[in-house]
């Protein structure tokens, strides 16, 4: 028999041995790298994906290689990079959509009963238009949101969820508008050297997430008030202004006039924003000829909104002379900084969010990305300088008005400046490298949604608890008294939703009844009223055979100790028992029951 030449080579390629054919030999080439067992024992017919993985593992140029100098110690072959980038992109898109979805849902899940302002808004809006406008004359507000809610109620009713849904819908409409505004801000930044071609997309995405996860937007997107409409209209007004300045056609100028009129018909604090913009345009109109014409055209279009506002002017002047915010306290200058943290929510996550947003806003003002990193320009860049002015100047004017005693400074009114601040923060975030930008937006979304969840889920009033207790204990003919009158609308609405229990209801120093609060000359009327006289009237109304339920809260401005006097005077005539204790909620109150005469 011959021999079978089985040749194995060493590393140099030299023959090792010749073996007889009858000999059983197990030959392992030395130069071949060991094949992983999972591949060596794989079946002959394999799925296509498994074959591709095996092919990559068998080719050294496609295996992941440990590289101490690389990111994470591993270098990824070029074939794997597009797949990895695609996965990352899909994951980021899913995260963005998830954050928007959670933020949107939080605007519709508020379990709280309607508090004073919400109850007043619904009570006014449910009336015929003529009575609605007359009630607003005594309330102190412009009519646009109330007219929208009036039509909404005719379609969907007056349930808590139904009346709050209008604000939620308006807040959702704000999101695509914020995305468009963010892209416009990014485009302007790129034009002035503060970005590149990708900046509009990055700033637009950041703006979308900031508005979707804003605790302020979530809080007032779930409340039957006009503040979500204010935020939406401020964004629309800004876009209309920019388009009119770019090319002042008749159509664009008309849109600017309408958007300006819609603002001032929604909330009177918007006058502060409109005044800020008008003064800026007046100063800018004194510039060079190419700038002068579009600026003057935009200014005149804004001034033309006065014609649209003229029919409401008599009511506005009456409100300025006779209504106001007698409940408001004076504030200090630090309120301008506190406002940012109010927007971010009251919890520790809100403090973190406020710091992050302030830092991002500072970058939006001063940052300028370059090839070697992010450069800081202390004097500020365009459009950051304009956004800072639209954020701070209206709030500074509001503070000055508050110090002169003309108006309240409260967080819910400051929505006029929120869009400019969030767009400025979005501009700063959009200038950061991708990994840093992703980390910052993750912090913003997590803390913002956490704060929004806490604010949306909080009970805002004890009206429902008090109404339930009254309905459980009261007999037909019993008297329910409210001190101060500001507790009346929420509890009255909650009692009314139980049906008609045939109760007599009366409010302190207000002849209009518990459904509304008459703000006309409010402070003077409260100072003239007497707690002892009100207690005597309530006692006479109840008579000897009926009990009195007193809904009471001390500490309201302009009433001093009047409500305590009412309680003590009734206690001298009847046995007093505490039915509901006042808790630390936004609108807390106690319920006392005074039995029949001794």
């Amino acid at each position: 028999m011959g021999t079978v030449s089985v040749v194995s080579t060493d590393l140099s390629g030299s023959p090792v041995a010749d073996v007889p054919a009858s000999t059983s030999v197990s030959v392992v080439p030395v130069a071949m790298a060991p094949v992983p067992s999972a591949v060596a024992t794989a079946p002959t017919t394999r799925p296509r994906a498994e074959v591709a993985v095996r092919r990559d593992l068998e080719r050294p140029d496609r295996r992941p290689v440990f590289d101490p100098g690389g990111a994470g110690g591993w270098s990824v072959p070029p074939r794997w990079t597009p797949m990895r980038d695609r996965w990352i992109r899909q994951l980021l898109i899913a995260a963005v959509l998830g954050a928007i979805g959670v933020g949107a849902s939080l605007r519709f899940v508020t379990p709280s009963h309607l508090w004073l302002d919400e109850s007043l808004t619904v009570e006014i809006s449910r009336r015929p238009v003529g009575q609605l406008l007359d009630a607003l004359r005594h309330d102190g507000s412009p009519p646009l949101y109330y007219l929208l809610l009036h039509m909404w109620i005719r379609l969907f009713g007056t349930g808590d969820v139904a009346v709050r849904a209008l604000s939620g819908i308006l807040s959702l409409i704000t999101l695509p508008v914020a995305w468009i505004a963010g892209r416009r801000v990014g485009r302007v930044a790129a034009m002035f050297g503060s970005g590149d071609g990708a900046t509009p997309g990055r700033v637009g995405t950041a703006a979308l997430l900031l508005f979707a996860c804003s605790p302020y937007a979530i809080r007032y997107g779930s409340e039957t008030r006009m503040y979500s409409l204010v935020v939406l209209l401020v964004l629309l007004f800004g876009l209309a202004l920019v388009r009119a300045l770019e090319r002042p056609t008749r159509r664009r100028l008309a849109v600017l006039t309408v958007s300006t009129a819609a603002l001032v018909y929604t909330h009177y604090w918007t006058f502060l924003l409109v005044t800020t913009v008008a003064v800026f345009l007046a100063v800018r109109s004194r510039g060079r000829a190419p700038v002068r014409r579009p600026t003057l055209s935009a200014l005149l279009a804004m001034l033309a909104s006065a014609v649209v506002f003229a029919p409401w002017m008599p009511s506005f002047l009456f409100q300025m002379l006779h209504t106001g915010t007698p409940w408001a306290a004076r504030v200090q200058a630090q309120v301008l900084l506190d406002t940012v943290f109010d927007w971010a929510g009251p919890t520790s996550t809100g403090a973190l969010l406020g710091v992050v947003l302030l830092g991002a806003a500072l970058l939006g003002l001063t940052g300028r990305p370059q090839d070697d990193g992010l450069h800081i320009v202390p004097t500020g860049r365009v459009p950051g300088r304009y956004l800072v002015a639209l954020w701070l100047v209206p709030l500074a004017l509001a503070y000055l008005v508050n110090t002169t005693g003309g108006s309240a400074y409260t967080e819910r009114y400051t929505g006029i400046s929120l869009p400019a601040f969030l767009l400025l923060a979005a501009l700063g975030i959009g200038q950061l490298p991708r990994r840093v930008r992703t980390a910052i937006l993750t912090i913003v979304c997590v803390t913002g949604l956490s704060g929004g969840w806490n604010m949306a889920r909080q009970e805002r009033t004890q009206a429902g608890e008090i109404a339930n207790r009254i309905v459980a204990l009261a007999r037909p003919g019993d008297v329910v008294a409210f001190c101060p009158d500001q507790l009346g609308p929420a509890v009255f609405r909650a009692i009314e939703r139980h049906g008609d229990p045939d109760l007599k209801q009366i409010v302190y120093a207000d002849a209009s009844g518990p459904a509304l609060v008459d703000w006309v000359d409010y402070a003077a009327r409260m100072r003239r009223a007497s707690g002892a006289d009100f207690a005597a009237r309530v006692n006479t109304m109840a008579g000897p055979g009926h009990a009195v339920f007193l809904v009471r809260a001390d500490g309201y401005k302009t009433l001093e100790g009047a409500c305590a006097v009412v309680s003590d005077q009734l206690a001298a005539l009847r046995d007093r028992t505490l039915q509901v204790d006042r808790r630390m909620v936004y609108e807390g109150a106690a319920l006392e029951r005074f039995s029949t005469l001794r």
Side-chain angles (χ1 to χ4, degrees):
M1 297 178 58
T3 62
V4 176
S5 221
V6 181
V7 180
S8 179
T9 60
D10 60 12
L11 294 176
S12 64
S14 303
V16 176
D18 288 339
V19 183
S22 59
T23 306
S24 175
V25 180
S26 175
V27 180
V28 178
V30 176
M32 182 180 294
V35 179
S37 60
V39 176
T41 60
T44 304
T45 303
R46 302 178 178 89
R48 184 174 302 175
E50 184 179 340
V51 172
V53 171
R54 179 178 181 274
R55 184 168 56 246
D56 285 343
L57 289 173
E58 289 178 339
R59 293 186 56 176
D61 62 316
R62 296 187 179 180
R63 300 176 196 159
V65 179
F66 183 71
D67 178 11
W74 290 87
S75 64
V76 181
R79 177 187 174 115
W80 287 19
T81 301
M83 182 180 299
R84 180 195 63 185
D85 291 345
R86 184 166 59 252
W87 288 345
I88 292 175
R89 185 163 52 250
Q90 292 174 350
L91 181 61
L92 290 177
I93 292 174
V96 168
L97 294 177
I100 294 172
V102 173
S105 63
L106 288 178
R107 289 159 166 83
F108 298 93
V109 297
T110 300
S112 171
H113 291 80
L114 270 61
W115 69 289
L116 166 64
D117 283 7
E118 292 182 284
S119 301
L120 280 174
T121 302
V122 174
E123 181 60 33
I124 292 172
S125 300
R126 68 192 295 186
R127 301 184 174 205
V129 173
Q131 297 181 24
L132 181 156
L133 297 177
D134 183 65
L136 285 178
R137 184 180 175 90
H138 291 256
D139 179 76
S141 298
L144 180 57
Y145 179 80
Y146 294 83
L147 292 172
L148 290 176
L149 185 59
H150 173 81
M151 294 183 288
W152 184 269
I153 286 174
R154 296 188 63 172
L155 293 174
F156 302 105
T158 59
D160 289 1
V161 175
V163 295
R164 281 178 170 151
L166 174 60
S167 295
I169 295 296
L170 293 171
S171 188
L172 291 185
I173 296 173
T174 300
L175 299 184
V177 180
W179 178 73
I180 295 171
R183 291 183 60 87
R184 178 57 66 97
V185 167
R187 190 177 303 124
V188 173
M191 289 172 55
F192 285 87
S194 295
D196 53 26
T199 299
R202 294 195 298 263
V203 177
T205 301
L208 175 62
L209 286 173
L210 262 59
F211 277 85
C213 302
S214 165
Y216 179 96
I218 293 172
R219 167 72 167 81
Y220 294 106
S222 63
E223 183 166 299
T224 313
R225 293 291 284 166
M226 70 288 293
Y227 308 116
S228 59
L229 178 59
V230 168
V231 174
L232 172 60
L233 290 177
V234 168
L235 286 171
L236 293 174
F237 167 75
L239 291 173
L241 176 63
V242 171
R243 287 172 57 83
L245 290 174
E246 289 175 344
R247 189 158 56 90
T249 63
R250 290 184 179 180
R251 181 176 180 179
R252 293 187 177 191
L253 294 173
V255 171
L256 179 58
T257 299
V258 172
S259 61
T260 306
L263 271 178
V264 296
Y265 263 117
T266 301
H267 198 277
Y268 292 138
W269 261 44
T270 58
F271 277 112
L272 304 175
L273 176 64
V274 171
T275 299
T276 300
V277 175
V279 170
F280 165 75
L281 293 179
V283 173
R284 191 171 184 264
S285 65
R286 302 176 63 182
R288 295 171 299 175
V291 175
R292 187 180 306 123
R293 180 178 175 274
T295 303
L296 282 175
S297 298
L299 179 60
L300 291 175
M302 289 179 58
L303 295 177
S305 65
V307 177
V308 185
F309 191 73
W312 186 250
M313 187 61 70
S315 295
F316 171 69
L317 293 176
F318 178 85
Q319 291 170 337
M320 293 300 102
L321 292 173
H322 296 284
T323 66
T325 54
W327 42 266
R330 297 288 180 89
V331 295
Q332 303 299 321
Q334 68 185 34
V335 73
L336 300 180
L337 179 61
D338 292 342
T339 297
V340 174
F341 291 93
D342 290 337
W343 288 338
T347 61
S348 58
T349 57
L352 174 59
L353 177 60
V355 171
V356 170
L357 290 179
L358 281 172
L362 181 61
L363 287 179
L365 171 63
T366 62
R368 181 179 182 180
Q370 294 184 353
D371 294 339
D372 57 345
L374 188 64
H375 286 209
I376 300 300
V377 182
T379 56
R381 301 284 299 173
V382 175
R385 290 197 294 248
Y386 298 143
L387 292 173
V388 166
L390 293 175
W391 158 31
L392 290 178
V393 173
L395 297 184
L397 293 175
Y399 166 72
L400 293 176
V401 172
N402 176 267
T403 56
T404 61
S407 177
Y409 188 109
T410 183
E411 169 256 352
R412 57 184 179 271
Y413 294 175
T414 59
I416 59 169
S417 293
L418 178 72
F421 174 73
L422 292 184
L423 289 174
L424 182 65
L427 176 60
I429 294 172
Q431 293 176 347
L432 295 171
R434 187 180 70 177
R435 292 186 179 181
V436 179
R437 183 170 68 250
T438 302
I440 294 297
L441 287 176
T442 300
I443 294 173
V444 167
C445 291
V446 171
T447 56
L449 293 176
S450 175
W453 167 264
N454 290 329
M455 297 177 75
R457 300 296 297 177
Q458 284 179 350
E459 180 63 62
R460 301 168 189 176
T461 178
Q462 288 184 257
E465 179 184 4
I466 290 172
N468 291 340
R469 190 63 177 164
I470 290 174
V471 171
L473 297 176
R475 297 178 301 160
D478 285 350
V479 174
V480 180
F482 300 93
C483 186
D485 56 340
Q486 296 175 46
L487 298 175
V491 177
F492 172 79
R493 172 182 167 84
I495 292 176
E496 188 181 50
R497 296 182 70 78
H498 282 281
D500 185 8
D502 193 19
L503 300 174
K504 302 175 183 177
Q505 302 187 48
I506 182 173
V507 295
Y508 181 80
D510 192 339
S512 61
L516 296 174
V517 174
D518 187 356
W519 295 108
V520 174
D521 301 327
Y522 186 89
R525 179 157 38 88
M526 292 299 146
R527 284 192 292 267
R528 291 194 304 265
S530 166
D533 291 345
F534 181 70
R537 183 180 175 189
V538 170
N539 184 63
T540 301
M541 180 182 294
H546 294 285
V548 173
F549 293 87
L550 177 63
V551 183
R552 167 192 169 189
D554 299 326
Y556 276 64
K557 192 176 178 182
T558 71
L559 274 82
E560 308 304 334
C563 297
V565 171
V566 173
S567 178
D568 291 341
Q569 290 290 321
L570 289 172
L573 303 171
R574 301 165 180 262
D575 292 328
R576 175 173 56 187
T577 56
L578 179 64
Q579 298 297 324
V580 175
D581 199 3
R582 184 176 183 179
R583 294 188 286 110
M584 294 299 294
V585 298
Y586 191 77
E587 185 181 62
L591 174 65
E592 297 173 338
R593 181 180 183 273
F594 299 86
S595 63
T596 55
L597 287 175
R598 295 170 182 170

